[in-house]
Amino acid sequence: MAGHFEPLPGGGAAIALDDVEISIIRSLAVQLLELIGPGPAEDTPGDPLAGLFAEGPSEPPSDPALRRLFPDAYCDPEQPPGTPRDAAEQRAHSAEFRRYTENDLRAGKRENALAMIHSLNALAPAGEGGAVLELSVEDSRRWLGALNDLRLAIGSRLEITDEDDTDDFYDLPDEDPRKPMVMAYLWLGSLQETLVSTLMP
């Protein structure tokens, strides 16, 4: 089980993690929460209906990692130049879509990251500096969402636009300042892949 998720009888997944791995995942999940930011209800704690009726932003985030997490819905990368009217229409549709969906998307991503943190905090030591994490099917889906968001955010920092771009990362020298982030990106990808396999019928 060490190093990868395995299916549990009756559904769910399990993985053995050492203390360093637990600390790394928890730290990354906390950083993801900080990146995503608070929701509308957290901005106005005295008004329980604030989040229900709050509209989201209409402009894409300036941070590249957030743009990767919350991309434009109607952006057409194949749009040929010289069609400003179509481009303006796409921007208008994207702004409208973002205004009414981004808050819910942010809330879902926050819930996934929090579920990851809570499940790590609830771990009972298994001896020798590690523990076995067991996830229900629902928690597995939340972890899958959080792992995907973490990889998107880290990938944007590493300027990865395609998985094929990672081939050169395997031979990075230890002194390369990107090495820790690359190792985290590749490791999270391995966790994500094995977790997906536990959810397959």
Side-chain angles (χ1 to χ4, degrees):
M1 184 186 303
H4 61 272
F5 281 99
E6 292 186 357
L8 287 173
I15 186 172
L17 297 170
D18 63 33
D19 287 343
V20 173
E21 291 169 333
I22 292 169
S23 177
I24 290 171
I25 297 173
R26 183 189 290 116
S27 175
L28 289 172
V30 168
Q31 291 177 59
L32 179 61
L33 279 174
E34 292 171 352
L35 177 66
I36 293 170
E42 295 171 75
D43 290 333
T44 54
D47 184 359
L49 297 178
L52 190 62
F53 298 107
E55 291 185 3
S58 58
E59 295 297 321
S62 58
D63 187 310
L66 284 174
R67 280 202 305 274
R68 187 75 66 89
L69 292 172
F70 305 103
D72 275 333
Y74 294 94
C75 178
D76 182 5
E78 305 300 322
Q79 175 83 30
T83 54
R85 179 180 165 192
D86 290 343
E89 286 178 1
Q90 285 181 0
R91 285 194 297 272
H93 291 314
S94 290
E96 190 76 359
F97 185 83
R98 183 180 296 278
R99 185 163 35 251
Y100 293 110
T101 61
E102 187 168 311
N103 284 344
D104 287 341
L105 288 173
R106 283 181 183 264
K109 292 179 185 299
R110 271 193 300 274
E111 288 171 7
N112 291 342
L114 281 170
M116 177 178 272
I117 293 168
H118 291 326
S119 58
L120 291 173
N121 289 344
L123 282 177
E128 298 184 6
V132 175
L133 173 70
E134 294 189 356
L135 302 174
S136 67
V137 173
E138 179 60 29
D139 284 336
S140 293
R141 291 192 179 103
R142 291 193 177 282
W143 264 70
L144 200 54
L147 287 170
N148 186 62
D149 289 341
L150 284 171
R151 293 191 78 238
L152 287 173
I154 294 172
S156 74
R157 298 293 189 234
L158 293 170
E159 299 181 347
I160 296 172
T161 57
D162 188 292
E163 282 300 316
D164 293 337
D165 295 345
T166 62
D167 292 344
D168 295 338
F169 285 148
Y170 287 95
D171 299 320
L172 279 181
D174 290 341
E175 59 271 16
D176 192 303
R178 298 171 297 168
K179 185 74 177 266
M181 197 179 297
V182 167
M183 296 297 291
Y185 180 84
L186 297 174
W187 177 51
L188 292 173
S190 174
L191 294 181
Q192 185 180 20
E193 184 177 347
T194 59
L195 185 54
V196 165
S197 69
T198 70
L199 294 170
M200 303 284 280

